[in-house]
Amino acid sequence: MTSPEIRGWCPGAHRPMASGDGLVVRVRAPLAELTPDQALGLAEAAERFGNGLIDLTNRANLQLRGVTQDTHAPLLDALSQLGLLDADPGVEGRRNIVIDPFRGGADDRQTDIATHLAKGLAAPDLAPLPSKFGFVIDTGPNRRLATTIGDIRIEASGDSLILRADGSTTGRAAATARDAAQMALDLARWFIASGGVGTDGRGRMARHLGAGHRLPDDFMGDLAPNAPLPSPDPGPYPGGLLVAAGFGQLSPDDLRALASAAPGPLRITPWRMIFLPGLDTASAFAGHETLITDPADPLLRIHACTGAPACPQASVETRQLARDLAKHLAPAARLHVSGCAKGCAHPAASDLTLIGRAGLFDLVTHGTPWDDPDRHGLSPADLPDLMTG
């Protein structure tokens, strides 16, 4: 079997990524927010210029699938008219900012930080930053984004803002939101200048520090970030409602339903859910077949990648199989259905992991897609009886 291809870059809007179902176009909404009108416009664009599938990513972005070479340019025009596109492709590609979706109230310094950071990333000298290099803004009394991937983190230690390089356990205090944003930009410049970007254009902060590069004194501190919180479940949440979608994928009708119910902005989260501030009941989605507000829904315990035919590296269909297996899954068990050994949907261990190989499945128990399988060559008909443990 051919080894799966590991791609070292993320798609964007100007620079889409080819997949088995066409081009994947990433939409980085400013502040990870959509107005209801923007959400309605994006639903229409997904239908008109793609195949209608909209992915939620763990970077708090959206991805439109099935775009063609002929529909890409008009899609960019539509995104621009919706206010969802940077005119400069380089700026759009490096505006990788994840912000706490529950921000607000008396302390909304996170929005201020994100706004200044986004403006600063337009500087030409930051153009070498890798497309996967990201910033995390998580300044609440408890960290909600502790497991969110990022290279430079702006957090809080008590009530004080701190800047922390990923790979460091402590950070340095920042006096104001603008100071924190500027320090983050300067740290990104140090990363570039100190050789953090390889000849292949890749590079991550934790790897750079792990290779022995020492932070300058201006970026070192002894302040530990606030304690983390576990990732939230869908359902009512203080200040609003969290809504999930099976396997993190929305249809245009799903997005329209969210826009119709939203009393304000739709906030895209890194947990592949949408947060609707100000909505205090899940009744608007009662009976909805694909939007999830019940934390006990078994689909929430299943990871499934795009699979065949949409992904050229997969030899098996994954998501309908995962839906069929959900009703057989043992209580509390977690399942990962991976179209290949790359494990994109969940690069970690699960109770049960199915890996597609040449149209059949291998099974790994309590492991990852690249571990040695316990069973080989399973057909879909063999799988339901294996889900109970």
Side-chain angles (χ1 to χ4, degrees), residues 221-270:
D222 58 3
L223 295 176
N226 290 337
L229 288 174
S231 298
D233 294 318
Y237 202 86
L241 181 73
L242 268 173
V243 184
F247 318 121
Q249 191 168 79
L250 299 166
S251 71
D253 284 343
D254 291 334
L255 194 52
R256 291 186 185 103
L258 290 163
S260 297
L266 293 74
R267 289 183 176 171
I268 307 159
T269 80

Side-chain angles (χ1 to χ4, degrees), residues 160-231:
S160 299
L161 291 172
I162 65 169
L163 176 80
R164 183 168 68 91
D166 194 48
S168 298
T169 57
T170 58
R172 175 155 189 161
T176 67
R178 294 192 180 202
D179 288 341
Q182 187 57 53
M183 289 169 64
L185 295 167
D186 289 342
L187 180 54
R189 291 184 170 93
W190 170 82
F191 176 81
I192 295 169
S194 61
V197 184
T199 55
D200 58 1
R202 305 182 192 183
R204 304 309 300 265
M205 180 66 77
R207 188 181 308 139
H208 191 50
L209 297 182
H213 296 271
R214 183 181 182 276
L215 289 171
D217 292 343
D218 287 349
F219 303 118
M220 296 182 69
D222 58 3
L223 295 176
N226 290 337
L229 288 174
S231 298

Side-chain angles (χ1 to χ4, degrees), residues 132-135 149-153 164-166 203-206:
K132 286 183 176 288
F133 193 94
F135 301 79
I149 296 172
D151 297 274
I152 296 176
R153 315 182 82 90
R164 183 168 68 91
D166 194 48
R204 304 309 300 265
M205 180 66 77

Side-chain angles (χ1 to χ4, degrees), residues 26-29 32 55-63 95-98 268-270:
R26 180 168 292 191
V27 179
R28 295 177 172 91
D55 292 332
L56 297 164
T57 81
N58 60 7
R59 295 284 186 99
N61 297 312
L62 298 168
Q63 291 184 164
R95 189 169 48 79
N96 297 313
I97 303 170
V98 182
I268 307 159
T269 80

Side-chain angles (χ1 to χ4, degrees), residues 220-315:
M220 296 182 69
D222 58 3
L223 295 176
N226 290 337
L229 288 174
S231 298
D233 294 318
Y237 202 86
L241 181 73
L242 268 173
V243 184
F247 318 121
Q249 191 168 79
L250 299 166
S251 71
D253 284 343
D254 291 334
L255 194 52
R256 291 186 185 103
L258 290 163
S260 297
L266 293 74
R267 289 183 176 171
I268 307 159
T269 80
W271 312 296
R272 306 180 84 188
M273 293 188 277
I274 300 289
F275 181 56
L276 304 178
L279 191 64
D280 58 4
T281 176
S283 60
F285 307 107
H288 201 288
E289 293 184 357
T290 51
L291 295 177
I292 300 171
T293 58
D294 179 3
D297 193 310
L299 282 180
L300 298 172
R301 293 184 280 114
I302 302 178
H303 297 276
C305 66
T306 302
C311 177
Q313 300 190 62
S315 66

Side-chain angles (χ1 to χ4, degrees), residues 41-123:
L42 197 60
E44 180 182 353
E47 286 181 324
R48 185 176 178 188
F49 305 116
N51 61 14
L53 298 179
I54 306 165
D55 292 332
L56 297 164
T57 81
N58 60 7
R59 295 284 186 99
N61 297 312
L62 298 168
Q63 291 184 164
L64 275 57
R65 304 190 66 92
V67 179
T68 69
Q69 294 289 349
D70 290 338
T71 62
H72 182 225
L75 171 60
L76 294 184
D77 289 340
L79 293 177
S80 180
Q81 292 173 20
L82 290 169
L84 297 174
L85 182 69
D86 289 290
D88 185 316
V91 175
E92 185 266 335
R94 61 182 177 269
R95 189 169 48 79
N96 297 313
I97 303 170
V98 182
I99 182 172
D100 178 8
F102 304 124
R103 64 190 179 276
D107 178 11
D108 197 18
R109 54 190 175 179
Q110 301 195 72
T111 298
D112 197 17
I113 293 169
T115 300
H116 288 291
L117 191 56
K119 290 180 180 177
L121 285 169

